[in-house]
Amino acid sequence: MHRLVSVPDKPMKTRAAIVYELNQPVVVEDIEVDPPKQGEVLVKMVASGVCHSDLSVITGTILNPRPIVLGHEGAGIIAEVGAGVTSVKPGDPVMLTFVTPCGRCSYCTVGQPNLCATHWGAQPRGALFDGTCRYHKAEQSFYQMARVGTMSEYAVVSENAVIPVSQDTPLDKAALIGCGVTTGVGAVMRTAEVEAGSNVAIIGAGGVGLNVVQGAVLVGAAKIIVVDIVPRKLAFARQFGATHTVDASKEDAVEKVRELTDQEGVHYAFEVIGNPRTIEQAFHMLRMGGTAVIVGIAPSDANISIPAALFPYGERRLVGSMYGSARMRVDMLRLLDLYRTGKLKLDELITKTYTLDQVNEAFADMEAGMNIRGVILYE
Ligand code: PAD
Ligand code: ZN
């Protein structure tokens, strides 16, 4: 049983990881969090994964208003609910989604809640849907990454951003479903709809890329060729089901993938780094009729260059994938079931755990290529 938490009906203290300035160490400090308003819930965080997108908010590759509480991959326990909340109650364990679907827009209605027009359209990005923030310190307000901000002991989020799970769910593992697992597996199953027997290439074997590998295993892909520049990552990839690995620091990734597929190329190539050059590589790895899927998020001013004629000649396709094209409320629970039945690895994704105060160490380890996922655990 998860502990039921009772909290006062006034602002309370929370320790949070904050980005004030780009490319500076993350500041971990005590701030205040307001009680949840109408349609909102207060979550006591249990775990927050450390994703490259968090690092991209620090570097400005992903632009957000500041100061902002980091974190978008988490799980916790409902501590308090605001007026009108009916789907959860205090004590309920939940996973958080990094897109809060409204359930009513033209995207949500046709089964694309990952593209929810309300979530992506509401300004400012990082505030809750009434346009205000729940975090404060003196006169200063703080935004929250992806409208969740999981790198805080407590977070106020919309009711629609939490997905209740059963009481026996290990929340440190479930946290990873909040971003990396759903994004990676979904890119294979939902965005690309990879057929059994296809050959796939995956460039970037990080926390998201290894979940693309898991997705490829789940759908019965034949060759699963993983490209990275860190030998440790390639070893992880083999552990997760890669049939072939390519060290792109030593050999030409495109040539090697062609060689491994009888010079034909793969049916599907996934770019999971966010680098324009590796996005181009993914495209050049395709066989005729193949699809390249861009998962990695490049800086908004970065461009790619691909010979235009290669699209009609050979019917190659290049598509983007946001949150693994997930229908979060269905897919995230299915992924938990796949874990429970031994078909999806979650334990193995967690290389190292940190306290919130060690968050800068977690980012340094990410940049050094040490971890699949680093995970922040709260008390
Ligand atoms: P990560 O840092 O854990 O992994 C990145 C991997 O890429 C590492 O293993 C690197 O060694 C490897 N790498 C770097 N450069 C090269 C290169 N030139 N050639 C081959 N390999 C290389 O990151 P992550 O897995 O947490 O995130 C990956 C990307 O996915 C990142 O851009 C992030 O912002 C994005 C993302 N997108 C979504 C989405 O919905 N589209 C969701 C979550 C994350
Ligand atoms: Zn993420």
Side-chain angles (χ1 to χ4, degrees):
M1 276 292 280
H2 294 293
R3 202 152 37 98
L4 209 111
V5 233
S6 75
V7 284
D9 189 25
K10 58 181 190 324
M12 52 181 273
K13 184 182 83 71
T14 185
R15 200 160 177 76
I18 299 163
V19 177
Y20 282 93
E21 302 283 344
L22 294 184
N23 297 306
Q24 294 300 315
V26 175
V27 176
V28 181
E29 63 181 343
D30 292 345
I31 57 175
E32 287 199 325
V33 58
D34 292 339
K37 292 189 181 176
Q38 168 97 22
E40 298 171 357
V41 298
L42 176 72
V43 182
K44 184 179 195 301
M45 297 304 309
V46 169
S48 175
V50 182
C51 173
H52 205 106
S53 298
D54 297 301
L55 183 60
S56 292
V57 170
I58 300 172
T59 59
T61 292
I62 295 177
L63 278 174
N64 267 285
R66 295 185 302 277
I68 188 165
V69 174
L70 279 179
H72 62 285
E73 179 179 274
I77 300 161
I78 299 291
E80 193 186 349
V81 300
V85 170
T86 54
S87 61
V88 287
K89 58 181 186 315
D92 285 353
V94 294
M95 299 187 281
L96 284 92
T97 63
F98 77 74
V99 173
T100 301
C102 72
R104 282 186 289 271
C105 71
S106 63
Y107 294 95
C108 285
T109 309
V110 298
Q112 295 179 301
N114 61 317
L115 303 181
C116 172
T118 310
H119 174 92
W120 292 105
Q123 294 295 337
R125 224 174 143 184
L128 289 177
F129 289 106
D130 67 355
T132 66
C133 297
R134 300 292 164 273
Y135 292 118
H136 311 280
K137 187 180 180 186
E139 296 304 301
Q140 183 139 50
S141 292
F142 298 86
Y143 295 101
Q144 46 197 127
M145 181 173 172
R147 303 185 203 281
V148 285
T150 57
M151 291 189 188
S152 171
E153 291 169 323
Y154 288 90
V156 171
V157 303
S158 162
E159 176 182 12
N160 288 357
V162 298
I163 297 180
V165 294
S166 61
Q167 286 285 350
D168 61 355
T169 304
L171 293 178
D172 54 339
K173 319 290 180 340
L176 304 182
I177 295 177
C179 176
V181 178
T182 304
T183 299
V185 176
V188 175
M189 288 189 166
R190 290 279 196 206
T191 311
E193 298 182 323
V194 172
E195 310 87 358
S198 307
N199 293 327
V200 306
I202 295 133
I203 316 179
V208 182
L210 289 173
N211 283 299
V212 176
V213 176
Q214 296 218 76
V217 171
L218 278 165
V219 300
K223 287 178 182 159
I224 302 175
I225 306 168
V226 177
V227 180
D228 206 291
I229 48 176
V230 178
R232 182 177 164 86
K233 298 299 181 101
L234 296 173
F236 287 139
R238 285 189 289 274
Q239 196 187 319
F240 276 79
T243 59
H244 304 76
T245 54
V246 178
D247 184 342
S249 71
K250 297 205 173 73
E251 41 196 351
D252 184 291
V254 175
E255 267 177 33
K256 189 68 192 175
V257 166
R258 293 208 162 270
E259 187 187 311
L260 289 167
T261 52
D262 303 323
Q263 296 306 327
E264 199 174 58
V266 289
H267 298 82
Y268 297 93
F270 296 85
E271 200 276 354
V272 206
I273 301 166
N275 176 332
R277 300 293 83 76
T278 46
I279 292 169
E280 291 162 1
Q281 286 179 352
F283 189 82
H284 289 292
M285 286 174 184
L286 296 177
R287 81 200 282 275
M288 287 198 286
T291 302
V293 181
I294 306 174
V295 179
I297 301 176
S300 47
D301 59 354
N303 291 295
I304 55 172
S305 174
I306 290 173
L310 290 181
F311 286 89
Y313 285 124
E315 289 191 348
R316 291 172 187 83
R317 295 188 296 172
L318 182 63
V319 301
S321 180
M322 172 47 62
Y323 214 162
S325 309
R327 294 157 202 185
M328 291 82 81
R329 224 155 257 280
V330 175
D331 295 355
M332 289 170 66
L333 293 172
R334 284 186 183 174
L335 289 165
L336 208 46
D337 280 345
L338 286 167
Y339 167 67
R340 288 207 172 92
T341 51
K343 299 183 184 80
L344 184 77
K345 294 181 172 51
L346 295 184
D347 303 6
E348 295 84 346
L349 289 171
I350 303 175
T351 318
K352 190 171 172 187
T353 62
Y354 303 84
T355 64
L356 186 63
D357 283 282
Q358 293 170 323
V359 67
N360 287 299
E361 194 185 310
F363 286 118
D365 287 347
M366 167 178 280
E367 292 189 284
M370 299 298 293
N371 295 341
I372 301 177
R373 268 297 196 245
V375 174
I376 293 167
L377 295 181
Y378 299 87
E379 293 282 283

